[in-house]
Amino acid sequence: MFGIVRPCSHRLGEGLKTQWMAHLCGLCLALRGDHGQFARVVTNYDGLLISVLTEAQAERTTGWRRTAGPCPLRGMRTASVAQGEGARLAAAVSLVLASAKVRDHVADKDGLLARRPVALAARRVAASWGRAGARTGSDVGFDTAVLVDAVDRQVGIEALAGPGTPLLTVTEPTETATAAAFAHTAVLAGRPGNAEPLAEAGRLFGRLAHLLDAVEDRETDAASGAWNPLTATGTPLVEARRLADDALHGIRLALREVEFTDGKLAHLLLAHELGRSVDRAFGTSGRGHQAHADDARGAFGPPQHGGPYNPQSPQSPYDGQNPYGGGGNPFGGAPSFPPPGPGRRGFWAGCAAAIGVCCTCKVCCADEFEGPWSRRRREGCLGNCDCDCSCCEACEICECCECCSCCDCGL
């Protein structure tokens, strides 16, 4: 599930989270339906933006959703998922770019790919994905040759790049590829007038994706000796951040020119979550939920620790200290005890529960799940988020937290 736009479910709110999951599952099932089970491994968070943009522009008609059967990644629940040309275009783009990524790793001899048998198998998989992506792209009227050409040019540009080479020269092929994919969503949605601003948004999104990938991999690439655009061109992080901020601002301006039928999810992902991706990559924090929670405390200042009315105080006024005597019970008598927790499972019963939890992927994907042996509530591996979740569904209606006035996006 690689990608730079990884929204927190608490910021999405229930409605937009359902839509986002519909596109994610739709991309996954489009890959399976056209190219088999193994193709589902190229499902990625950024690829679903193609499906989101297509549906956001289209007139509301039947046929954009279908009910999918139970899936382990959804806790064996059915769901309404996106379908149609937007999901198939997203699948085609994901396959072609994943094919290029595998070939790039083979060329760099990363990890196991340094071994010839593994590299040979990886090349065959990459070639198969490239052909499959081209077929699906042709079915929806998109020529994936522009993506393949961009990938081929990338290799030559990287070979020639050195100190003093403009960083935007290195990002240009990625920009061209994403611009073509974004623009084609306007064709699929029947809004050709949106093609130009979406191409601009896609071009800048490609630039941003390339920059953030380079920033996040800089230290790892330096340790392994792999090629990195920032190191190769001698671009400092300050300049990379300036380019990233300019690209983000340009995307928001381009989105103003796009005519959406319902662009709420597309706006949130590209105008808000993309900004958080920039902050995350550069190790800075934007003005998010916690900052607004701090503001909400008003002119009275932070609460004083240790007070009996401070909910964040680590000590209750009667925490083991009864001013009237009688241990932990303020009314005297025997000390009070916490209520008993759920009973533990035996070894074999816990093993059976553990198999069930793992097979339904609750360990990874559920917000919470019950521990197989302890039966305590535990948080799923993907349940961690990068925000203080005290403000629910804020961004869904753009009325608090990082409201739309902060980026002048007009929504």
Side-chain angles (χ1 to χ4, degrees), residues 85-180:
E85 294 184 330
R88 298 191 71 199
L89 175 61
V93 172
S94 297
L95 280 167
V96 173
L97 296 183
S99 171
K101 195 174 186 71
V102 169
R103 292 202 305 270
D104 185 54
H105 285 307
V106 170
D108 291 341
K109 297 182 179 180
D110 292 337
L112 289 176
L113 294 175
R115 301 181 179 181
R116 291 191 63 183
V118 178
L120 180 61
R123 285 194 189 97
R124 289 180 177 176
V125 170
S128 174
W129 283 348
R131 291 191 298 269
R135 289 196 304 271
T136 301
S138 178
D139 290 343
V140 296
F142 180 67
D143 186 2
T144 57
V146 65
L147 306 183
V148 176
D149 176 68
V151 171
D152 292 341
R153 285 190 296 107
Q154 186 75 54
V155 176
I157 290 173
E158 289 181 359
L160 296 174
T165 301
L167 187 58
L168 297 188
T169 300
V170 180
T171 63
E172 180 274 323
T174 307
E175 295 177 21
T176 301
T178 51

Side-chain angles (χ1 to χ4, degrees), residues 243-267:
L243 292 172
D245 288 339
D246 286 349
L248 181 61
H249 182 63
I251 290 171
R252 290 167 173 169
L253 292 178
L255 289 178
R256 287 185 180 184
E257 307 300 322
V258 180
E259 184 179 351
F260 288 116
T261 300
D262 181 3
K264 187 178 294 184
L265 179 60
H267 162 77

Side-chain angles (χ1 to χ4, degrees), residues 14-234:
E14 194 60 37
L16 292 184
K17 178 185 176 182
T18 300
Q19 289 186 40
W20 186 78
M21 286 298 300
H23 289 285
L24 183 62
C25 293
L27 169 58
C28 181
L29 293 175
L31 287 164
R32 185 199 68 178
D34 287 344
H35 311 293
Q37 291 283 358
F38 185 64
R40 300 170 82 174
V41 301
V42 308
T43 304
N44 66 92
Y45 293 134
D46 294 345
L48 69 88
L49 288 173
I50 302 296
S51 179
V52 169
L53 285 171
T54 303
E55 186 175 283
Q57 299 170 77
E59 296 296 334
R60 288 291 170 263
T61 58
T62 57
W64 288 97
R65 290 282 191 274
R66 71 177 180 88
T67 300
C71 174
L73 294 177
R74 294 192 299 268
M76 299 307 295
R77 295 187 298 270
T78 61
S80 175
V81 302
Q83 66 172 352
E85 294 184 330
R88 298 191 71 199
L89 175 61
V93 172
S94 297
L95 280 167
V96 173
L97 296 183
S99 171
K101 195 174 186 71
V102 169
R103 292 202 305 270
D104 185 54
H105 285 307
V106 170
D108 291 341
K109 297 182 179 180
D110 292 337
L112 289 176
L113 294 175
R115 301 181 179 181
R116 291 191 63 183
V118 178
L120 180 61
R123 285 194 189 97
R124 289 180 177 176
V125 170
S128 174
W129 283 348
R131 291 191 298 269
R135 289 196 304 271
T136 301
S138 178
D139 290 343
V140 296
F142 180 67
D143 186 2
T144 57
V146 65
L147 306 183
V148 176
D149 176 68
V151 171
D152 292 341
R153 285 190 296 107
Q154 186 75 54
V155 176
I157 290 173
E158 289 181 359
L160 296 174
T165 301
L167 187 58
L168 297 188
T169 300
V170 180
T171 63
E172 180 274 323
T174 307
E175 295 177 21
T176 301
T178 51
F182 272 46
H184 196 68
T185 65
V187 177
L188 295 182
R191 292 186 184 270
N194 286 343
E196 186 175 346
L198 282 175
E200 177 66 6
R203 183 179 67 83
L204 294 172
F205 180 83
R207 176 185 300 178
L208 200 52
H210 203 134
L211 284 172
L212 298 191
D213 183 63
V215 170
E216 291 176 343
D217 293 346
R218 193 168 63 107
E219 293 182 1
T220 304
D221 290 343
S224 64
W227 194 91
N228 184 283
L230 298 179
T231 305
T233 61

Side-chain angles (χ1 to χ4, degrees), residues 23 26 46 77 87 107 151 180 200 229 284 295 304 311 362 406 408:
H23 289 285
D46 294 345
R77 295 187 298 270
V151 171
E200 177 66 6
T284 58
D295 288 348
Q304 300 297 317
K362 287 186 177 180
C406 70
D408 297 325

